């Protein structure tokens, strides 16, 4: 326990923003998230900053743009900024025909209204495959709506399907100012960040030197705020940001957080592909007697899953690759599963998909994040998180309600043998995975997927 105590001291020394527990609300489903998002846009008076991987050209995406433009026309002084990944915004969906992507939608809206909205593309790397904007958090005046979700039909449950995520509303001026300051002074102020509504915007090749310098700046960037002492009736908020393999404070403190667990550790991830450092800390937690629960999506709840009867595409093998990782992990830790010290919960609900991320430790710490806890998040993408310090368990009832909701559509794994093995996969998937193993490309794939 000495190691856990030392790591807990590191966590406890982190600077915090004081927060009243009553000013944190957990939304429990995607419909509530969509309704709150549109409500916050409508009532905002001074600023709206939306940061997401993408805002899609579909019904839900257009409803968000409609709400933003209506708010801007009604109040031209309202400062509205939408930030999305530069590369993702300028291509179609994977497998679709070549197109201008979502940028075409943004430009069409800008041409329609007298009072424009800034839709800005943020390039984290010269090519999308090597790094994207994965920052999360929407700022409405003094409120932060934090979720790992992007903005499209399935994330916003526009029709009969949803992609399940976590959704939290924090009414806190200091937190909103901190996140807004990072958006304005670190992201939008840089020459590598350009407006996607402009028909003559620069191409990615011309931006290469700027993007390289921008990434260097991002690797050194952090949230700036005053450390506030906490009263016993308050919880603490620590916003963190990280990019890259080296000197990444977010990665480091995620590992410290897992290493600080003394009794109970709960981890959510949509793609079971944890970095070695995370796997190492989970094993250490098991060795010191911590009860570990891992909640992960079934392969059929993955964004890229397609049924065996559908035409096979290479990307359809991804969910199976993650399941191979999960089965291997479960097999190595079968003894802990047998004595119920390691609980693996697999989420599946009809044809909906699973996109939850987060960590809970000893009922005293809760991590809100868009970080998938995989090598790509660890090395390539720009990520952030809000660590909530709840020493007196004032958020316990709310936290338990959220966890119970998440677990409602899960199955507990009793043995690694319950997880489907490669030999039972559809023939095209099996052939591809065996080829990947044979040329030893699986490690490289795990780094970038």
């Amino acid at each position: 326990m000495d190691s856990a105590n030392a790591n807990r001291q590191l966590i406890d020394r982190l600077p915090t923003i004081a927060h009243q527990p009553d000013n944190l609300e957990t939304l429990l489903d995607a419909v509530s998230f969509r309704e709150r998002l549109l409500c916050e846009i409508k009532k905002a008076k001074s600023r709206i900053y939306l940061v997401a991987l993408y805002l899609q050209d579909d019904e839900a995406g257009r409803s968000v743009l409609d709400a933003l433009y209506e708010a801007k026309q009604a109040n031209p002084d309202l400062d509205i900024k939408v930030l999305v990944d530069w590369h993702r915004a300028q291509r179609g969906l994977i497998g679709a025909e070549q197109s201008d992507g979502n940028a075409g939608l943004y430009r069409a809206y800008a041409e329609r209204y007298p009072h424009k909205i800034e839709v800005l593309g943020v390039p984290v790397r010269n090519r999308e495959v090597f790094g994207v904007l994965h920052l999360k958090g929407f700022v409405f005046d003094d409120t932060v709506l934090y979720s790992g979700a992007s903005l499209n039909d399935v994330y916003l449950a526009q029709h009969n399907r949803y992609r399940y995520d976590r959704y939290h509303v924090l009414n806190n001026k200091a937190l909103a100012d901190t996140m807004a300051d990072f958006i304005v002074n670190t992201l939008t102020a840089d020459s590598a960040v350009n407006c996607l509504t402009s028909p003559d915007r620069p191409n990615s090749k011309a931006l290469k030197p700027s993007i390289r310098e921008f990434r260097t700046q991002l690797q050194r960037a952090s949230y700036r705020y005053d450390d506030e002492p906490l009263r016993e009736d308050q919880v603490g908020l620590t916003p963190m940001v990280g990019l890259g393999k080296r000197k990444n404070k977010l990665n480091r403190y995620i590992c410290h957080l897992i290493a600080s667990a003394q009794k109970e550790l709960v981890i959510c991830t949509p793609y079971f592909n944890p970095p070695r450092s995370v796997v190492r800390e989970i094993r250490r937690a098991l060795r010191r007697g911590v009860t570990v629960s891992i909640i992960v999506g079934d392969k059929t709840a993955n964004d890229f899953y397609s049924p065996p009867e559908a035409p096979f595409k290479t990307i359809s093998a991804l969910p199976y690759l993650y399941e191979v990782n999960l089965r291997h992990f479960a097999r190595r830790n079968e003894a802990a599963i047998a004595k119920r010290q390691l609980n693996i919960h697999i989420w599946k609900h009809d044809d909906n998909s699973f996109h939850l991320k987060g960590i809970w430790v000893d009922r005293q710490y809760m991590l809100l994040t868009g970080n998938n806890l995989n090598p790509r998040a660890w090395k390539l993408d720009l990520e952030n998180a809000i660590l909530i310090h709840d020493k007196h368990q004032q958020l316990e009832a709310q936290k338990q309600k959220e966890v119970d909701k998440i677990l409602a559509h899960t199955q507990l794994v009793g043995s690694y043998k319950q997880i489907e093995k490669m030999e039972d996969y559809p023939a095209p998937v099996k052939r591809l995975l065996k080829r990947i193993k044979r040329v030893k490309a699986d490690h490289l794939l795990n780094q970038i997927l």
Side-chain angles (χ1 to χ4, degrees):
M1 282 297 175
D2 288 345
S3 173
N5 284 329
N7 280 283
R8 179 151 301 190
Q9 288 171 13
L10 289 171
I11 295 294
D12 289 342
R13 284 201 292 268
L14 283 168
T16 55
I17 296 169
H19 187 76
Q20 293 300 130
D22 290 347
N23 288 333
L24 189 151
E25 180 184 359
T26 303
L27 308 178
L28 297 176
D29 55 65
V31 172
S32 300
F33 171 56
R34 182 185 75 225
E35 291 172 349
R36 177 58 68 87
L37 171 65
L38 296 175
C39 176
E40 294 292 343
I41 291 173
K42 191 172 183 178
K43 71 181 188 181
K45 298 290 191 295
S46 60
R47 63 185 176 192
I48 299 174
Y49 299 157
L50 304 187
V51 185
L53 175 60
Y54 58 84
L55 190 159
Q56 191 70 33
D57 182 4
D58 59 16
E59 189 175 336
R62 290 189 292 272
S63 72
V64 172
L65 277 178
D66 286 338
L68 290 170
Y69 270 96
E70 285 170 15
K72 183 69 173 178
Q73 306 320 297
N75 178 9
D77 292 331
L78 183 59
D79 182 13
I80 301 180
K81 292 179 173 60
V82 178
L83 285 78
V84 293
D85 183 73
W86 169 259
H87 301 290
R88 178 69 176 80
Q90 298 180 85
R91 67 161 172 84
L93 297 173
I94 292 176
E97 292 181 7
Q98 184 73 25
S99 75
D100 197 24
N102 297 319
L105 173 73
Y106 310 151
R107 190 167 62 252
Y109 267 78
E111 291 169 354
R112 200 182 307 163
Y113 292 91
H115 302 294
K116 314 296 184 189
I117 286 173
E118 288 186 279
V119 183
L120 301 164
V122 181
V124 172
R125 205 65 181 260
N126 287 324
R127 294 182 62 191
E128 182 183 355
V129 70
F130 296 124
V132 297
L133 173 75
H134 215 243
L135 212 69
K136 307 300 176 183
F138 304 153
V139 178
F140 306 94
D141 296 339
D142 297 338
T143 296
V144 174
L145 175 52
Y146 194 94
S147 175
S150 287
L151 301 170
N152 72 353
D153 281 349
V154 68
Y155 277 117
L156 297 179
Q158 186 69 38
H159 301 295
N160 295 321
R161 290 183 65 244
Y162 66 87
R163 184 167 294 156
Y164 192 27
D165 214 297
R166 300 177 68 204
Y167 324 97
H168 295 86
V169 186
L170 302 99
N171 186 9
N172 187 301
K173 185 178 188 305
L175 177 66
D177 286 346
T178 298
M179 299 187 85
D181 174 76
F182 187 87
I183 290 166
V184 172
N185 294 317
T186 302
L187 300 182
T188 68
D190 198 279
S191 60
V193 177
N194 284 270
C195 188
L196 288 160
T197 60
S198 172
D200 56 353
R201 61 185 181 271
N203 61 37
S204 298
K205 187 175 182 180
L207 287 173
K208 271 188 175 183
S210 298
I211 294 172
R212 198 176 300 116
E213 177 60 29
F214 182 46
R215 185 175 178 87
T216 301
Q217 296 298 328
L218 288 175
Q219 287 173 322
R220 293 197 285 257
S222 61
Y223 287 118
R224 292 176 295 203
Y225 56 94
D226 293 329
D227 186 12
E228 300 176 341
L230 304 181
R231 300 194 309 263
E232 286 201 0
D233 65 335
Q234 293 175 320
V235 299
L237 309 176
T238 301
M240 296 180 282
V241 64
L243 173 65
K245 184 178 179 180
R246 294 180 178 84
K247 298 182 180 179
N248 187 318
K249 290 183 180 178
L250 177 57
N251 291 353
R252 189 164 77 245
Y253 277 101
I254 287 174
C255 286
H256 287 319
L257 182 62
I258 297 171
S260 75
Q262 297 174 349
K263 296 178 181 177
E264 183 182 42
L265 170 66
V266 181
I267 296 176
C268 277
T269 176
Y271 317 115
F272 193 80
N273 183 23
R276 289 175 180 171
S277 54
V278 170
V279 173
R280 183 169 60 245
E281 293 303 342
I282 291 172
R283 287 190 189 135
R284 287 173 176 170
L286 290 169
R287 283 200 296 270
R288 61 179 181 270
V290 176
T291 299
V292 177
S293 298
I294 296 174
I295 307 170
V296 63
D298 184 80
K299 65 175 175 290
T300 62
N302 187 283
D303 316 359
F304 297 111
Y305 177 78
S306 59
E309 62 271 16
F312 177 71
K313 297 178 181 177
T314 302
I315 202 161
S316 303
L318 261 183
Y320 295 90
L321 185 61
Y322 296 134
E323 188 175 65
V324 168
N325 292 342
L326 182 64
R327 193 175 197 273
H328 178 70
F329 174 82
R331 185 171 185 172
R332 290 194 65 176
N333 295 281
E334 178 79 344
I337 293 174
K339 63 182 183 181
R340 291 291 179 262
Q341 189 195 351
L342 172 61
N343 304 302
I344 298 175
H345 303 267
I346 299 181
W347 189 95
K348 178 178 169 61
H349 182 217
D350 299 335
D351 64 343
N352 301 297
S353 53
F354 182 88
H355 198 246
L356 277 82
K357 323 86 188 304
I359 300 174
W360 295 261
V361 171
D362 292 341
R363 305 187 178 188
Q364 293 188 22
Y365 306 94
M366 177 168 67
L367 189 74
L368 312 182
T369 187
N371 191 309
N372 288 314
L373 304 179
N374 61 5
R376 183 180 177 91
W378 233 239
K379 298 177 181 179
L380 303 179
D381 298 339
L382 178 63
E383 304 279 358
N384 70 347
I386 302 172
L387 177 62
I388 301 177
H389 307 246
D390 185 18
K391 285 288 189 180
H392 304 290
Q393 299 180 19
Q394 297 173 87
L395 298 171
E396 176 61 20
Q398 194 172 161
K399 168 254 178 182
Q400 196 56 52
K401 195 173 181 181
E402 182 186 22
V403 172
D404 289 346
K405 175 79 173 178
I406 295 167
L407 291 174
H409 294 295
T410 62
Q411 179 182 1
L412 181 64
V413 173
S415 165
Y416 79 91
K417 295 176 182 177
Q418 284 179 237
I419 302 171
E420 193 175 13
K421 57 184 183 294
M422 192 189 299
E423 287 71 18
D424 298 325
Y425 289 167
V429 175
K430 191 162 45 177
R431 278 196 301 272
L432 179 61
L433 293 186
K434 285 184 176 178
R435 195 181 313 139
I436 289 169
K437 289 282 184 184
R438 192 163 57 246
V439 299
K440 298 183 179 179
D442 52 323
H443 176 71
L444 176 62
L445 281 171
N446 280 335
Q447 302 304 301
I448 65 174
L449 295 175

